[in-house]
Amino acid sequence: MQKLLDMISEEVGQAFAAAGYDAALGRTTISNRPDLCEFQCNGAMTGAKQYRKAPFLIAEEVAVRLMAAPESVLASAEAVKPGFLNFRMKEEALAAYLNSERVCAKFGLPEPEKKQRIVLDYGGPNVAKPLHVGHLRSAVIGEALKRMGRYNGHEIIGDIHMGDWGLQMGLVITELRHRSPELPYFDESFAGEYPEEAPFTVSDLEEIYPAASARSKEDEAYYGEAMEATHLLQEKKRGYYALWQKIIEVSVADLRKNYAALDVDFDLWNGESAVNDIIPGMVERIRSAGCAYESNGALVIDVAEESDAKELPPCILLKSDGAALYTTTDLATIQDRMTTIMPDELLYVTDKRQELHFTQVFRAARKTGLVPEHVKLTHIGFGTVNGKDGKPFKTRQGGVMRLETLIADINEEMLKKIRSNEDIPEEEARRTAEQVALAALKYGDLSNQSSKDYIFDMDKFCSFEGDTGPYILYTMVRIKSILHRAAAEAPAAAEGAAGAEPGGASCDGTASCGTGIREAQSPAEKSLQITLARFGEVMQSAWEEKAPHRICSYIYGLSNEFNSFYHGTKILSEADREKRDGWLALLGLALGVLEACISVLGFEAPERM
Ligand code: ARG
């Protein structure tokens, strides 16, 4: 389906052209003065200079032509000083648009001109370290982007890219060796099969890593051992490699559980270790192509450019001891993705403090020819999750907030609220609380522009009122309940409303209007209808801008509009059958659109709450 604003812009453009001006001037937007009009076009202002004519005169000529067109979708076109064009849409044209929208697949969202294949690198947890609140954003934003991209018709391959190969692994191995030197993994002469069972649990690991990390900072010999262990692991020393596999096994099982609780899922569970074997070849190629040089024993690539405002340090490919670094594995991962997946774009979602790293990696990838010009490289850097004191979010004791704890806390908070509705049995209350809590958590995060820091405010996120996930769900539950009641009263008609399932239905705009949406009867209904008609445009531009917060603000506005319409309209008690059915159809569309939006944001609505 044509997007609403494109449809109007096209008509306005034709009027500009008929009056002798450039049709492109007809670009129309949603009004920023809803008290004055529904849509506006500033093309006459833009064209005034070019045509050496007062903008108001141009606007008037266009308005007259628009009003004379019998087929126009506009009810009014008005030229206002100094040269704006203000429009209102015909109620019947709007209703017809919505009736096509409700039967089209994806509510008429156009398929992309060119389907993109994109590798989305997000999550990025580090094996053997518990997930903390800092990992929340990468998971939540990345998952939303993945779903947004797919909904828009692209092929998105999500890769968790675990940190499973660096010094942290050497530290864990070293600490284990100090604690249990008798394990066969540390016995040089051991040639048998290593035990099936891991010699530690995930809780052990979570205690071992911080202990090892702390000791390595004080004990130089210990640090040296950990470096050596890392090195030996990377050379795949038999016992170390087998032990490492156990660490991965235990850790990944736990990660899967944690991400599942967030309804976050990856197509590829690769880690930094996956590219270990291709690093030497890659380094050799880069070296022999003359793209890297030695500096203080290290092998580096210059990535500075003349236009840089700040000097960009060279990127280190190999340290003086020959060890690979974070940058090296990222470059090797790029090489691997380019050859095995052949994507059109590589997209990374990490803390924005990694911006310098990605600038270096991207420039090095171009310079060394790993990534050709036509493949896009994008880093989406997000801000920090802060506490109410404006400092990074901590536990009450001042420690790092574990993601598990945070989720348990918010679930508990929500359960209290849901339990206050005594009609809901305990079992259902628990499930619902988890669902609503996840919405609170994700919406609380996603409604902020990704690059900004935000304050984690549990009370605010969990509130059923205001710009929150629970408010959106509450609105949806309200719509569901009206549709259910209607179905109980008169099964056929309500089914027609809820049956606005956008299956593979024909999308030629010839929806049958038997039980369709009718002309808006009130300003509140009309605003709701216009907002519903903007779904395709919002879904598309939110994806283009990689901006989940655009979808959040859209559904917040939509929910507010629905609620004002609902408060001013007696739907179920309406005696006029056609009117009532028309409203039920409108509700069906509103619910469908809200469902599509929250599903790309990564959460779901319960039946009641
Ligand atoms: N493991 C990294 C960290 O915790 C994030 C990985 C992000 N992805 C990447 N390709 N570098 O900082």
Side-chain angles (χ1 to χ4, degrees):
M1 257 174 90
Q2 197 176 23
K3 286 178 281 174
L4 182 75
L5 291 179
D6 288 350
M7 182 176 100
I8 299 175
S9 299
E10 193 176 291
E11 190 187 317
V12 178
Q14 277 163 8
F16 267 96
Y21 307 106
D22 184 358
L25 295 172
R27 189 71 229 157
T28 297
T29 58
I30 203 84
S31 162
N32 52 22
R33 286 289 306 273
D35 52 324
L36 296 180
C37 60
E38 293 157 358
F39 305 94
Q40 67 186 52
C41 168
N42 300 345
M45 304 287 287
T46 319
K49 208 167 184 187
Q50 183 188 347
Y51 295 103
R52 299 161 165 274
K53 205 170 196 174
F56 184 72
L57 293 179
I58 301 179
E60 264 192 326
E61 287 174 68
V62 173
V64 166
R65 282 199 155 69
L66 282 168
M67 284 301 82
E71 299 286 279
S72 175
V73 299
L74 300 175
S76 68
E78 202 190 346
V80 290
K81 295 237 158 83
F84 298 115
L85 278 159
N86 289 354
F87 309 128
R88 286 185 191 282
M89 196 171 172
K90 280 183 187 152
E91 279 78 13
E92 60 182 81
L94 182 56
Y97 187 89
L98 294 180
N99 280 316
S100 310
E101 184 179 336
R102 63 191 277 269
V103 297
C104 281
K106 297 191 210 169
F107 306 104
L109 178 76
E111 282 302 307
E113 266 159 46
K114 191 182 169 290
K115 185 174 172 154
Q116 302 284 310
R117 179 184 293 164
I118 299 173
V119 176
L120 180 59
D121 181 313
Y122 70 109
N126 296 312
V127 160
K129 293 194 212 170
L131 292 174
H132 56 80
V133 54
H135 291 108
L136 178 71
R137 297 210 76 185
S138 183
V140 169
I141 297 169
E143 183 70 18
L145 290 175
K146 181 183 82 181
R147 295 175 184 216
M148 284 161 66
R150 287 188 182 159
Y151 197 89
N152 274 276
H154 299 289
E155 182 185 351
I156 317 287
I157 299 143
D159 186 355
I160 188 168
H161 199 74
M162 290 177 285
D164 64 354
W165 205 233
L167 179 62
Q168 85 251 29
M169 306 313 301
L171 283 165
V172 173
I173 293 174
T174 302
E175 184 62 22
L176 282 167
R177 206 181 53 182
H178 278 251
R179 292 186 186 192
S180 319
E182 72 288 353
L183 288 174
Y185 302 98
F186 304 117
D187 179 355
E188 298 286 339
S189 59
F190 185 80
E193 292 251 343
Y194 292 107
E196 187 59 36
E197 195 156 328
F200 41 72
T201 63
V202 74
S203 329
D204 295 338
L205 284 180
E206 289 179 356
E207 179 263 319
I208 289 170
Y209 172 75
S213 169
R215 179 156 175 200
S216 73
K217 288 186 184 116
E218 278 149 24
D219 183 340
E220 212 168 297
Y222 185 93
Y223 179 75
E225 273 177 57
M227 293 278 282
E228 175 67 7
T230 311
H231 192 70
L232 291 173
L233 167 67
Q234 295 182 344
E235 286 186 343
K236 300 203 178 151
K237 179 185 165 77
R238 190 169 171 265
Y240 283 13
Y241 192 73
L243 185 58
W244 171 81
Q245 283 175 317
K246 289 289 151 202
I247 303 175
I248 298 295
E249 219 176 270
V250 168
S251 212
V252 168
D254 186 60
L255 285 173
R256 283 188 188 273
K257 201 184 77 203
N258 276 294
Y259 282 111
L262 283 172
D263 207 354
V264 168
D265 186 31
F266 303 91
D267 304 294
L268 302 174
W269 283 76
N270 290 338
E272 294 174 2
S273 63
V275 293
N276 182 55
D277 296 346
I278 64 172
I279 288 179
M282 178 189 76
V283 170
E284 243 355 274
R285 252 194 320 281
I286 293 176
R287 195 204 299 266
S288 56
C291 296
Y293 65 96
E294 293 211 2
S295 163
N296 298 327
L299 189 65
V300 304
I301 305 176
D302 263 335
V303 289
E305 282 170 13
E306 267 186 31
S307 55
D308 292 340
K310 258 201 318 219
E311 206 191 12
L312 208 66
C315 121
I316 304 176
L317 202 53
L318 291 182
K319 287 204 297 183
S320 52
D321 63 0
L325 292 165
Y326 187 42
T327 312
T328 326
T329 46
D330 259 330
L331 284 171
T333 306
I334 288 179
Q335 173 180 308
D336 182 47
R337 288 171 178 164
M338 289 308 300
T339 47
T340 58
I341 304 178
M342 291 181 281
D344 300 297
E345 181 172 4
L346 294 164
L347 192 63
Y348 297 80
V349 185
T350 77
D351 192 307
K352 70 179 170 203
R353 283 169 289 190
Q354 295 198 24
E355 205 163 274
L356 173 64
H357 166 75
F358 282 102
T359 307
Q360 289 180 311
V361 168
F362 291 172
R363 285 194 187 175
R366 299 261 187 230
K367 198 169 165 182
T368 55
L370 287 177
V371 179
E373 220 38 66
H374 67 270
V375 173
K376 262 176 90 177
L377 293 167
T378 312
H379 174 232
I380 297 183
F382 52 77
T384 311
V385 183
N386 287 330
K388 282 189 187 160
D389 57 0
K391 299 205 191 96
F393 194 62
K394 292 266 159 67
T395 59
R396 251 174 244 141
Q397 290 73 33
V400 176
M401 180 56 114
R402 291 184 50 172
L403 193 53
E404 245 182 315
T405 317
L406 185 85
I407 294 175
D409 286 357
I410 198 163
N411 280 348
E412 197 182 314
E413 177 73 20
M414 197 52 78
L415 185 57
K416 279 189 227 150
K417 293 193 170 215
I418 303 286
R419 270 196 191 130
S420 63
N421 178 348
E422 285 160 8
D423 290 343
I424 303 184
E426 180 64 16
E427 174 63 17
E428 186 187 336
R430 283 189 180 279
R431 250 183 299 120
T432 304
E434 274 176 26
Q435 233 172 9
V436 183
L438 189 62
L441 191 69
K442 288 193 169 182
Y443 190 95
D445 189 306
L446 295 170
S447 55
N448 299 284
Q449 203 177 319
S450 310
S451 60
K452 301 230 164 91
D453 298 348
Y454 74 86
I455 291 179
F456 189 90
D457 183 341
M458 179 100 92
D459 295 334
K460 188 177 134 203
F461 288 6
C462 290
S463 169
F464 283 25
E465 277 155 45
D467 190 6
T468 70
Y471 170 67
I472 307 290
L473 298 192
Y474 194 76
T475 305
M476 295 175 68
V477 164
R478 170 175 275 166
I479 301 177
K480 286 189 190 191
S481 133
I482 303 170
L483 291 175
H484 281 147
R485 267 185 290 152
E489 285 167 23
E495 220 165 74
E501 290 274 306
S506 81
C507 217
D508 56 5
T510 54
S512 78
C513 295
T515 53
I517 293 167
R518 292 164 47 97
E519 296 167 24
Q521 309 279 310
S522 64
E525 185 177 3
K526 195 164 183 197
S527 313
L528 172 62
Q529 290 196 0
I530 290 176
T531 300
L532 284 169
R534 297 185 58 206
F535 170 76
E537 168 211 328
V538 172
M539 189 52 92
Q540 199 174 52
S541 59
W543 163 246
E544 277 158 12
E545 293 163 28
K546 309 289 178 284
H549 74 279
R550 296 273 319 265
I551 296 177
C552 293
S553 65
Y554 174 69
I555 56 177
Y556 178 51
L558 182 54
S559 298
N560 285 335
E561 273 161 357
F562 170 77
N563 286 313
S564 357
F565 161 70
Y566 170 77
H567 288 301
T569 317
K570 299 231 174 328
I571 300 171
L572 290 177
S573 56
E574 173 58 53
D576 181 333
R577 218 48 214 186
E578 277 187 18
K579 262 194 194 174
R580 181 177 176 275
D581 291 349
W583 283 330
L584 292 176
L586 182 63
L587 262 57
L589 177 61
L591 182 61
V593 163
L594 284 166
E595 249 152 18
C597 290
I598 66 167
S599 143
V600 300
L601 295 177
F603 55 90
E604 288 168 359
E607 286 309 304
R608 52 183 181 168
M609 61 193 266

